Amino acid sequence: MRPETSRPKVNLQIEKESITLRGRVEEKLRLAIVSGYFVPGQRLVERELCELIGVGRTSVREAMRQLEAEGLIRSVLHRGPNVQGITPEEAVQLYALRVLLEGYAARCCAERADDEAKQILSNAAAAFVHAAERESHESIMAAKDAVYDSLLDGARNPFVKQTLTAMQNRISMLRFASFTTPGRLEESVNEIKQIVEAIRTGDGDKAEAVCRRHIERAAALALDALKNES
């Protein structure tokens, strides 16, 4: 396991009566991977995970099967399940696609979203700002996801949303890498505010341009972080 002093603070304990137990275990393990609590290449030992999360082996085993299907975990011969990493080359390709799709989604949201959808997006952005002020990794990631969910809903293009949702886990791993750069969180908050304002006023050109700059900046920082780790 990774040394205690270098780990981000992530609460992995769950309440056994909430939602489905397997679903909650999936959420906690997914968070631990995308946040860097578990690092790429790290072996995931079933017994240790049971003790860490506080559940039985069946729940952990089922959750890991789901995360393997999502591409976050891979089974290695004679070693068992390991955390799946992402290479700088894969990150470049992922961000190139993300710039195109999310920039287009921001434009569509500005041009197609009704007042209710824009208000939902504004509320999600406000929650993200609040989460950033609290500096809780878990709440920041969840709030940022809610902003993007609202933006994609407002874009009214199910194909773009479906494609980006399939990429979400890898995007979250890279997003966390960029967030941990000093000063980046404050920049991200300002960029999100600009995107939301452009959407609110129906300025598709600006919404797309600001969204693309936001992602390009995050890409540069995430790639630097990946290169430093390799």
Side-chain angles (χ1 to χ4, degrees):
M1 291 283 182
R2 191 177 180 180
E4 293 284 343
T5 55
S6 62
R7 294 183 184 177
K9 293 181 179 180
V10 177
N11 177 18
L12 295 177
Q13 288 289 311
I14 66 174
E15 297 177 6
K16 295 184 181 180
E17 66 272 11
S18 61
I19 317 177
T20 66
L21 187 59
R22 191 193 76 174
R24 290 296 288 154
V25 175
E26 286 176 15
E27 289 179 2
K28 292 297 183 179
L29 287 178
R30 189 180 293 110
L31 172 65
I33 292 171
V34 302
S35 68
Y37 183 88
F38 297 141
V39 298
Q42 181 174 341
R43 184 184 176 202
L44 298 177
V45 181
E46 193 175 278
R47 174 181 51 77
E48 294 178 358
L49 293 176
C50 291
E51 296 174 357
L52 184 65
I53 303 173
V55 296
R57 291 197 173 194
T58 299
S59 296
V60 168
R61 193 174 297 129
E62 291 176 347
M64 286 204 291
R65 278 201 293 265
Q66 174 59 32
L67 296 184
E68 184 172 4
E70 295 177 9
L72 291 178
I73 293 173
R74 66 173 177 173
S75 293
V76 180
L77 188 64
H78 304 310
R79 290 198 63 201
N82 286 256
V83 176
Q84 176 68 51
I86 183 167
T87 67
E89 293 78 13
E90 290 172 335
V92 168
Q93 296 169 2
L94 183 61
Y95 270 115
L97 184 56
R98 187 183 166 200
V99 164
L100 292 174
L101 292 177
E102 288 190 17
Y104 174 69
R107 171 184 286 278
C108 289
C109 189
E111 297 174 349
R112 300 177 183 176
D114 57 21
D115 290 342
E116 181 181 2
K118 290 180 180 180
Q119 186 59 55
I120 292 172
L121 175 61
S122 295
N123 292 343
F128 172 60
V129 172
H130 178 67
E133 292 171 348
R134 292 169 56 193
E135 296 186 352
S136 163
H137 292 306
E138 188 169 356
S139 60
I140 289 170
M141 298 287 283
K144 190 69 177 291
D145 286 343
V147 171
Y148 283 116
D149 284 343
S150 301
L151 188 153
L152 293 175
D153 286 339
R156 301 182 185 276
N157 188 319
F159 301 105
V160 171
K161 182 172 183 178
Q162 183 180 27
T163 303
L164 284 169
T165 299
M167 298 161 54
Q168 185 60 40
N169 286 327
R170 295 299 184 91
I171 289 172
S172 294
M173 293 176 74
L174 295 169
R175 182 184 297 153
F176 191 89
S178 66
F179 270 174
T180 55
T181 302
R184 175 55 191 160
L185 184 56
E186 291 78 6
E187 289 180 355
S188 184
V189 166
N190 290 330
E191 290 160 1
I192 291 297
K193 288 179 179 178
Q194 292 175 39
I195 294 169
V196 172
E197 178 60 18
I199 291 172
R200 187 189 67 79
T201 59
D203 191 336
D205 288 341
K206 185 175 181 180
E208 180 174 6
V210 175
C211 190
R212 288 174 69 101
R213 287 200 301 270
H214 171 66
I215 297 167
E216 287 166 354
R217 174 61 175 154
L221 294 172
L223 287 170
D224 282 345
L226 285 175
K227 290 174 182 177
N228 289 335
E229 290 175 0
S230 60

